[in-house]
Amino acid sequence: MTEAQIKLKRTESVLLERIPAALSSLGDARLHALDIIDVKCSRGRSDAKVFIHPSSYTQQEKNEFIKLLKEEFPNLKKIVVGFDFCFGKDRKYCIEKLKELFDGEVLVIDEIKIDNIPVHSRIIRDYLKTGDIKMANKLLGKEYKIYGQKIVGQGLGAKSFVPTINLKVDEFLLPNEGVYITKTILDEQEFDSITFLGHRFTTDGSYAVETHILNKDIENKDYKTQIKFCEKIRDNKKFDTFEELKNQIINDIKSANNYFINIY
């Protein structure tokens, strides 16, 4: 991938994170409910195409939907939707109605299947919820990624187990609880890692997202942190003793190291 392509991907990721936040700050509650599922840029953020998941609107709102978008986005010239896009009460209005209401271009994306599985946001979310990260990534065409804000953890990692970066994650669908092989990006530098997310059944029972950088001593500071999920190692579970938990963590780290040895 060229430097320009990497920059575009980074721009798309930033816009995908910021557009929902921008919509939520606007005065109209109907914009808050829009589900932005993807952003694509061919040249940069000035020509971004925003992909919106089908949402439910009342019959009264059907004609206001496009008007509202054009008022908030006056340069809107194209809307890209999936082949099964519908809107309105009980999904009564679909693509033909959208074309009738909107005087710009409506681009319809045909259904795409991989291994005879439709590439659909709903299906991808289902795979994430069950922890099938490999299939979710296959349908996405990339590794599923989340952003998080560094927070203070229990303080047990570095003392009793292994050092971890604890994160607060908002506005992202988190995969099923468990331990995952991941790649953690700290201020744009990528590291092999292993990530736990779920309830700490063996310690305080609280929900946590924590990542351990493999084979590296990382300076303890506030990084801009991103996590890309590669493969699930195991489900979350409760251990009877700290020693059992520590031994399992060591085995998990071995599994992650073997994974990266085999792919590099």
Side-chain angles (χ1 to χ4, degrees):
M1 185 178 290
T2 67
E3 184 176 346
Q5 289 172 323
I6 293 172
K7 187 175 180 181
L8 274 181
K9 288 293 182 184
R10 190 177 301 153
T11 299
E12 290 171 351
S13 295
V14 170
L15 289 175
L16 185 58
E17 177 185 9
R18 292 183 178 177
I19 287 175
L23 289 174
S24 66
S25 68
L26 297 174
D28 198 305
R30 290 166 294 185
L31 287 175
H32 303 173
L34 290 178
D35 183 5
I36 309 301
I37 59 173
D38 204 359
V39 176
K40 294 295 182 184
C41 304
S42 59
R43 291 187 298 276
R45 61 184 179 182
S46 61
D47 72 332
K49 297 175 182 176
V50 180
F51 293 78
I52 303 172
H53 188 267
S55 303
S56 295
Y57 298 90
T58 66
Q59 184 172 354
Q60 182 180 355
E61 291 174 324
K62 66 182 178 65
N63 288 321
E64 297 176 0
F65 172 60
I66 300 300
K67 180 182 177 184
L68 180 63
L69 285 177
K70 294 185 74 173
E71 286 175 353
E72 297 293 347
F73 304 98
N75 295 322
L76 183 64
K77 293 181 173 59
K78 178 188 291 187
I79 296 177
V80 182
V81 297
F83 71 99
D84 58 350
F85 176 83
C86 293
F87 65 103
K89 186 177 180 181
D90 300 323
R91 294 171 56 86
K92 183 177 180 180
Y93 304 98
C94 297
I95 293 170
E96 291 307 313
K97 189 65 176 179
L98 179 62
K99 290 179 177 179
E100 177 185 331
L101 293 171
F102 182 55
D103 57 5
E105 180 184 358
V106 176
L107 179 61
V108 181
I109 304 299
D110 292 334
E111 182 179 33
I112 299 173
K113 291 185 177 183
I114 296 176
D115 294 342
N116 208 33
I117 299 172
V119 179
H120 197 291
S121 60
R122 172 181 53 80
I123 293 174
I124 294 171
R125 286 196 295 268
D126 287 342
Y127 279 119
L128 289 173
K129 290 175 182 177
T130 59
D132 192 344
I133 198 70
K134 289 179 71 175
M135 183 55 71
N137 287 348
K138 192 170 187 177
L139 296 180
L140 282 169
K142 59 183 178 182
E143 293 155 333
Y144 183 67
K145 182 168 67 174
I146 63 172
Y147 291 73
Q149 177 184 354
K150 184 176 179 291
I151 58 173
V152 177
Q154 293 178 289
L156 292 175
K159 294 178 182 178
S160 303
F161 305 115
V162 296
T164 60
I165 299 170
N166 291 263
L167 299 175
K168 178 185 177 184
V169 180
D170 296 318
E171 300 180 358
F172 284 90
L173 175 64
L174 293 175
N176 179 253
E177 293 193 15
V179 178
Y180 292 83
I181 298 167
T182 55
K183 298 174 185 175
T184 297
I185 304 170
L186 305 176
D187 291 345
E188 309 304 329
Q189 186 174 0
E190 187 173 282
F191 300 93
D192 297 341
S193 60
I194 184 171
T195 299
F196 166 80
L197 53 89
H199 292 86
R200 299 185 183 114
F201 294 131
T202 310
T203 56
D204 63 356
S206 64
Y207 190 90
V209 179
E210 46 189 335
T211 186
H212 168 68
I213 306 300
L214 298 174
N215 310 312
K216 293 282 184 180
D217 292 325
I218 301 298
E219 182 182 355
N220 184 16
K221 67 176 187 178
D222 289 332
Y223 297 98
K224 178 184 176 183
T225 306
Q226 307 166 57
I227 297 176
K228 298 196 294 187
F229 291 83
C230 303
E231 188 171 303
K232 187 173 185 179
I233 296 178
R234 62 174 176 86
D235 289 333
N236 190 14
K237 62 178 292 187
K238 182 177 181 179
F239 296 88
D240 293 330
T241 66
F242 277 9
E243 189 65 27
E244 287 183 17
L245 173 58
K246 184 174 182 179
N247 289 336
Q248 183 62 62
I249 290 172
I250 292 171
N251 288 333
D252 294 339
I253 290 174
K254 287 180 180 177
S255 297
N257 277 320
N258 288 334
Y259 171 88
F260 288 113
I261 288 172
N262 290 331
I263 67 169
Y264 290 148

